[in-house]
Amino acid sequence: MKLILLGPPGAGKGTQAVRIAARLGIAHISTGDMLRAEIRNDTPLGRMAKAILDKGELVSDDVIIGMVKNRIAMSDCARGFLFDGFPRTVAQAEALETITQIDHVINIEVQLNRLIDRISSRRMCPDCGGTYHVSQYPDGVCPCGGKLYQRDDDREETVKNRLTVYEQKTAPLIAFYQKQGNLFTVNGDASIDQVELEISEKLGA
Ligand code: AMP
């Protein structure tokens, strides 16, 4: 199965992506995680991307599309994949259509006033890609043993810009996929387990 998870920053895409991909036995592809790995490894792409991520802007469509093309050609994508954070612009969605066909687009809807609080309490694991609320593991250690950290772009100023960028560039994808008839919306204000259940039911998984 080939899926897209859509939603604003802080909607819970990363959390749901890990669960849904594991449930379906498909690859989880987070373009944000791929960019952060490039930054950690101090590659030329990572050095270019860091300034963009720190401002909460988007990396260019060409770079992202190239990265995604290479990624979905890998063997772990043979059974399908779930995109988390891609596409983020109509141009990316149009390019994706020329590469592969998507079965379902899952739109996670969340009240905007909740997002800033959620994001500023968010901690990430560099080893397993897990995303947690700071209160879940106050000692800062992931169940996998990784050292949890706060993303540089989860600071309040950057978060506000990321939400604006989402509204301007990514939210139009909802209408784009609605027109194609393969989008369904779930209530992201519910608990993590409930959101996962709603997605699974709607996928028939
Ligand atoms: P995320 O982890 O999905 O929130 O992404 C973190 C940051 O990486 C975004 O704020 C963008 O700067 C960049 N990024 C991730 N995915 C994309 C994409 N599909 N297109 C452009 N920029 C992206």
Side-chain angles (χ1 to χ4, degrees), residues 10 17 20-21 31 33-34 39 75 87 98 107 138 142 173 178 189 192 205:
I20 301 296
T31 42
D33 283 351
M34 291 166 79
I39 293 171
S75 56
T98 69
N107 177 38
C142 179
L173 290 177
Q178 252 161 358
D189 288 319
I192 293 174

Side-chain angles (χ1 to χ4, degrees), residues 29 67-75 77-78 81 83 96 99-100:
I29 303 180
M67 253 175 41
V68 166
K69 254 190 197 165
N70 291 337
R71 182 66 187 85
I72 65 176
M74 290 182 185
S75 56
C77 293
F81 42 80
F83 285 125
L96 181 61
I99 307 170
T100 190

Side-chain angles (χ1 to χ4, degrees), residues 7-10 13-14 30-36 39 49-61 63-65 67-68 84-89 92 122 124 151 153-154 158 162 165 170:
K13 295 191 298 297
S30 158
T31 42
D33 283 351
M34 291 166 79
L35 291 167
R36 282 185 288 276
I39 293 171
K50 178 157 180 24
I52 299 172
L53 264 74
D54 284 351
K55 282 189 277 185
E57 299 291 334
L58 295 184
V59 173
S60 80
D61 291 333
V63 168
I64 296 289
I65 292 157
M67 253 175 41
V68 166
D84 157 14
F86 173 86
R88 253 184 163 92
T89 63
Q92 291 179 15
R122 173 158 79 179
M124 310 275 295
R151 286 169 43 172
D153 61 346
D154 278 352
T158 314
R162 287 167 61 204
V165 169
T170 308

Side-chain angles (χ1 to χ4, degrees), residues 132-171:
Y132 307 101
H133 190 274
V134 64
S135 62
Q136 283 177 280
Y137 302 105
D139 58 355
V141 182
C142 179
C144 84
K147 196 172 172 323
L148 299 178
Y149 71 100
Q150 181 173 33
R151 286 169 43 172
D152 286 342
D153 61 346
D154 278 352
R155 288 180 313 245
E156 193 169 328
E157 275 317 296
T158 314
V159 169
K160 285 184 180 152
N161 192 39
R162 287 167 61 204
L163 291 172
T164 305
V165 169
Y166 169 80
E167 284 301 333
Q168 289 173 349
K169 303 201 169 150
T170 308

